[in-house]
Amino acid sequence: MHIVVCIKQVPDSAQIRVHPVTNTIMRQGVPTIINPYDLFALEEALRLRDTYGGEVTVLTMGPPMAEDALRKTLGYGADRAVLLTDRYFAGSDTLATSFALSQAIAKVGETFGTPDIVFTGKQTIDGDTAQVGPGIAKRLDLMQLTYVAKIPSVDLDAREIKVERRCEGGTQMLKSRFPCLITMLEGTNEIRRGSLEDALYAARSQVLKWSAADAGIDDLTRCGLRGSPTVVKRVFAPTARAEKAALIDTPERNLRDLADELIAAILTRGPALEQELAFNGGQ
């Protein structure tokens, strides 16, 4: 079984800066980490590899310094790492990113074997869109299994996988055939500590660096800023609220009295809400 894991090296969210002209994230001089959600995807891929056999290829698109993140994934136990890096990818939005990554995954398939599963985290902490994983699935015509919390079983003979997916109001149990794309939720597994053998392997292994041409990307107008229809009009920090929260004492009081007092306090602060509730019949 061949598994591809897409990760992203993201700026430390506490130190993110935004370019004043392009409104894109400035990565120079900002400490970076592996997107935390992607680590859960990587761990699940390694677990499947350890249980059923096969290989795990980790892929990322980013500047040359993203090699550090890929080398860390080798330290966790990944078999190989591919860095898709080219100046044509600068400023990519989710549409352009999913295009470049899908092309690179197709090239990985040609080079190392067609992937049975593509893993991503549910989203990244710098964009929070959760669009890249489904975008890759759409471009590669893969069945997409999003917000997966658990993988109960895999049947290699039938080429089927069962997953537990969280959704509004409960949990879904789904079965899909390979190939498929899975986006993993956070907290779904315990991320391993890499062994000494994995650390030595990561230190001596070569991270493959592919340009757009190496990945077989011919239409460069679909990459980077030129291929990104998303426009960030303005970036700003929310204005701090001057009004402070009110504290309601709770000792030795029943829940009904507390609820009545809370509702009264809310309606006092927002009289328009009381009028709207009255207009709707109190619903």
Side-chain angles (χ1 to χ4, degrees), residues 32-228:
T32 56
I33 58 174
I34 298 177
N35 179 52
Y37 298 120
D38 297 342
L39 291 176
F40 295 104
L42 174 62
E43 175 60 31
E44 199 64 29
L46 294 174
R47 289 187 179 200
L48 292 181
R49 191 250 348 240
D50 294 345
T51 303
Y52 301 100
E55 295 182 329
V56 173
T57 300
V58 182
L59 170 68
T60 193
M61 184 183 83
M65 66 179 184
E67 179 180 347
D68 296 338
L70 287 174
R71 201 165 292 282
K72 289 178 182 177
T73 67
L74 294 174
Y76 283 115
D79 296 286
R80 70 177 62 86
V82 179
L83 171 60
L84 187 62
T85 183
D86 200 306
R87 62 186 179 86
Y88 293 109
F89 301 140
S92 294
D93 67 358
T94 55
L95 186 71
T97 297
S98 63
F99 169 74
L101 288 176
S102 64
Q103 295 292 293
I105 291 170
K107 188 66 176 180
V108 166
E110 294 175 6
T111 308
F112 304 110
T114 303
D116 299 290
I117 306 174
V118 177
F119 272 100
T120 72
K122 72 167 186 178
Q123 64 193 63
T124 59
I125 62 172
D126 59 349
D128 282 333
T129 64
Q131 293 174 349
V132 172
I136 293 172
K138 176 64 177 179
R139 294 180 185 279
L140 295 178
D141 196 24
L142 302 176
M143 178 65 70
Q144 55 177 296
L145 305 168
T146 56
Y147 300 103
V148 171
K150 185 178 181 181
I151 301 179
S153 66
V154 171
D155 188 337
L156 293 180
D157 294 330
R159 292 185 56 77
E160 291 181 343
I161 186 170
K162 292 182 180 179
V163 303
E164 181 179 303
R165 178 184 185 270
R166 292 183 192 164
C167 60
E168 291 185 12
T171 301
Q172 296 175 334
M173 294 296 297
L174 304 176
K175 181 168 68 174
S176 172
R177 295 185 63 84
F178 293 148
C180 61
L181 180 140
I182 296 173
T183 71
M184 291 297 299
L185 287 175
E186 70 281 7
T188 51
N189 50 44
E190 185 175 347
I191 299 169
R192 67 186 65 192
R193 286 178 174 269
S195 65
L196 177 59
E197 182 180 353
D198 290 330
L200 294 175
Y201 176 74
R204 66 173 182 265
S205 294
Q206 178 185 6
V207 173
L208 300 177
K209 298 182 179 67
W210 288 357
S211 64
D214 295 330
I217 301 175
D218 297 324
D219 189 357
L220 297 177
T221 62
R222 301 175 70 180
C223 301
L225 285 174
R226 288 191 295 173
S228 301

Side-chain angles (χ1 to χ4, degrees), residues 26 154 251 258 275:
M26 298 174 61
V154 171
L258 285 172
Q275 295 174 5

